[in-house]
Amino acid sequence: MSDYIMLRSDTETQPTPEMRRAMAEAEVGDDVSQRDPTVLRLEAIAAERVGKEAALFVPTGTMGNLASLMVHGGRGDEVILDEGAHIYINEQGGMCALAGLTPKIVPAKNGLMDPAALEAAIRTDNIHYPVPKLLCLENTHNAGGGRVIPPDLFRRYCSIARSRNLAVHLDGARIFNAAAAAGVEVTEYTREVDSVQFCLSKGLSAPVGSMVAGSREFIAQARRARKVLGGGMRQAGVIAAAGIIALEQMTDRLKEDHDHAKLLAELVKDLDCFELLYRPVETNMVFLSTEKTGRDAYTVGRELLEQGLDVTVPGKQLIRMVTNRHVTEEDIRKAGSILHAYAESVSRR
Ligand SMILES: Cc1ncc(COP(=O)(O)O)c(C=O)c1O
């Protein structure tokens, strides 16, 4: 690991020693013909965990989302997403470029849509309009500051979609963080949706991989979509072995990351030059506005790195810090001190 306090992302997590051992010893076969026993085991465990009939191992969350959307709709069909959705903003427009789908964007605040706005966004039948097919939800919501969609609001979104004959796909890259923060089983969310994508490679610490889960028929089609996207892997059991440990051992510790993020928020919430956004912090992300530093966030990010704190800069006036397994309470306190010292240096300028 680096000498910096690594708050760039939960994707920076390294596989645990047990994952590395399991990877070395994994029994493998050709997964394209569904003959890799370790992948088959991971898929069975994942399906059971989220209460679906079947699951599919995919290399990335982006591919899991795209393969799912390709099954739900075809050229011209409309997919409803909130304005900050990762699928809409951060996946290169793959839903349009590769799947031919049309996005319909619903305004959202901190990752949460007003149910009335969602209802209003679903088009009625008209020869001039694209056909609405799918609602995509994201939980936790990355651009919404790691926001959790409360279970009752989540159910409300899904029931609006159903009442208008739309399917629902959940971009649950961090759905285990959402469940931990909401204090519910993950199935409280996943049973409401037709398909879910979740990442093994973020806070759960696997080096590679995501899962898609849904009905048996859905997963059979998603498997075809994965293949045309170039995601048919061969002896993938080598990486699936780490995914099994991610699912079996790493979900219960996510609350620790949330506690650390809340502590960090507490330490910096009164600083003059950094405004804490998306309050209250609910999961593993802390966003600060750098506007009052008088410098752009890229400069702030570089200067913080010189002081030993590694953050990401998702916007011109925005820095993001994400807690993860490698960040201790002591690191968080140090990170707080670095931000305090930085704020003092700004006030002296
Ligand atoms: C909410 C969300 N969905 C999907 C993804 C895509 O995952 P991947 O980086 O594995 O493609 C990410 C990645 O950060 C994410 O935050």
Side-chain angles (χ1 to χ4, degrees), residues 289-307:
S289 163
T290 57
E291 226 164 315
K292 291 196 195 137
T293 61
R295 312 192 145 197
D296 65 74
Y298 303 101
T299 307
V300 175
R302 206 178 48 245
E303 291 177 343
L304 288 173
L305 187 61
E306 283 163 13
Q307 302 308 312

Side-chain angles (χ1 to χ4, degrees), residues 11-331:
T11 59
E12 300 275 347
T13 46
Q14 300 270 316
T16 65
E18 195 170 347
M19 284 178 183
R20 288 184 186 273
R21 268 195 303 278
M23 292 169 77
E25 290 163 10
E27 224 187 305
V28 297
D30 188 341
D31 180 48
V32 170
S33 34
Q34 293 181 253
R35 286 151 53 90
D36 185 305
T38 310
V39 173
L40 292 174
R41 209 172 128 232
L42 170 63
E43 290 175 341
I45 291 168
E48 216 232 314
R49 189 70 190 266
V50 297
K52 297 290 179 207
E53 283 177 358
L56 178 72
F57 186 40
V58 289
T60 63
T62 301
M63 189 184 286
N65 283 331
L66 182 56
S68 299
L69 267 59
M70 286 169 74
V71 178
H72 283 297
R75 295 182 73 81
D77 288 342
E78 197 163 62
V79 176
I80 298 174
L81 311 105
D82 78 83
E83 64 183 16
H86 196 278
I87 292 176
Y88 178 55
I89 309 269
N90 288 311
E91 298 183 10
Q92 273 195 28
M95 60 173 287
C96 313
L98 301 176
L101 296 158
T102 312
K104 171 83 194 233
I105 299 309
V106 182
K109 190 156 185 282
N110 297 352
L112 301 180
M113 298 174 283
D114 176 349
L118 169 59
E119 180 99 54
I122 305 173
R123 296 179 196 275
T124 48
D125 185 21
N126 182 314
I127 197 168
H128 301 93
Y129 298 159
V131 178
K133 281 281 174 70
L134 180 70
L135 168 66
C136 286
L137 298 174
E138 182 176 320
N139 197 17
T140 64
H141 199 289
N142 190 338
R147 182 66 61 240
V148 177
I149 306 178
D152 53 347
L153 183 59
F154 192 89
R155 276 193 293 277
R156 180 118 185 256
Y157 292 153
C158 294
S159 89
I160 290 170
R162 301 240 176 281
S163 72
R164 306 289 297 273
N165 292 323
L166 301 191
V168 183
H169 171 72
L170 171 59
D171 177 356
R174 298 182 180 80
I175 193 61
F176 288 99
N177 294 81
V184 298
E185 290 297 322
V186 75
T187 47
E188 185 90 11
Y189 289 116
T190 54
R191 71 177 176 217
E192 301 294 329
V193 303
D194 299 279
S195 58
V196 54
Q197 175 282 121
F198 60 91
C199 294
L200 304 168
S201 61
K202 301 203 159 59
L204 302 185
S205 298
V208 183
S210 282
M211 305 303 302
V212 174
S215 69
R216 230 169 254 116
E217 173 57 26
F218 180 89
I219 292 300
Q221 291 180 49
R223 192 177 292 281
R224 284 188 61 81
R226 181 187 70 171
K227 187 74 173 80
V228 77
L229 294 173
M233 297 176 283
R234 301 297 176 178
Q235 283 71 36
V238 170
I239 45 177
I244 291 173
I245 292 169
L247 274 183
E248 291 188 334
Q249 295 180 19
M250 305 305 285
T251 57
D252 287 349
R253 59 154 308 285
L254 293 173
K255 203 179 158 300
E256 197 180 304
D257 296 344
H258 302 173
D259 291 344
H260 285 159
K262 287 176 195 170
L263 172 61
L264 182 58
E266 194 54 38
L267 292 171
V268 301
K269 72 178 192 318
D270 296 325
L271 289 178
D272 284 340
C273 73
F274 290 117
E275 188 194 351
L276 174 63
L277 304 171
Y278 308 116
R279 299 171 183 225
V281 165
E282 291 182 332
T283 58
N284 61 346
M285 296 184 183
V286 178
F287 283 75
L288 299 177
S289 163
T290 57
E291 226 164 315
K292 291 196 195 137
T293 61
R295 312 192 145 197
D296 65 74
Y298 303 101
T299 307
V300 175
R302 206 178 48 245
E303 291 177 343
L304 288 173
L305 187 61
E306 283 163 13
Q307 302 308 312
L309 177 59
D310 205 355
V311 303
T312 46
V313 180
K316 247 172 141 169
Q317 291 296 355
L318 204 57
I319 61 173
R320 188 190 76 166
M321 295 174 283
V322 185
T323 55
N324 60 73
R325 190 179 113 245
H326 303 297
V327 179
T328 62
E329 182 181 330
E330 194 190 335
D331 291 332

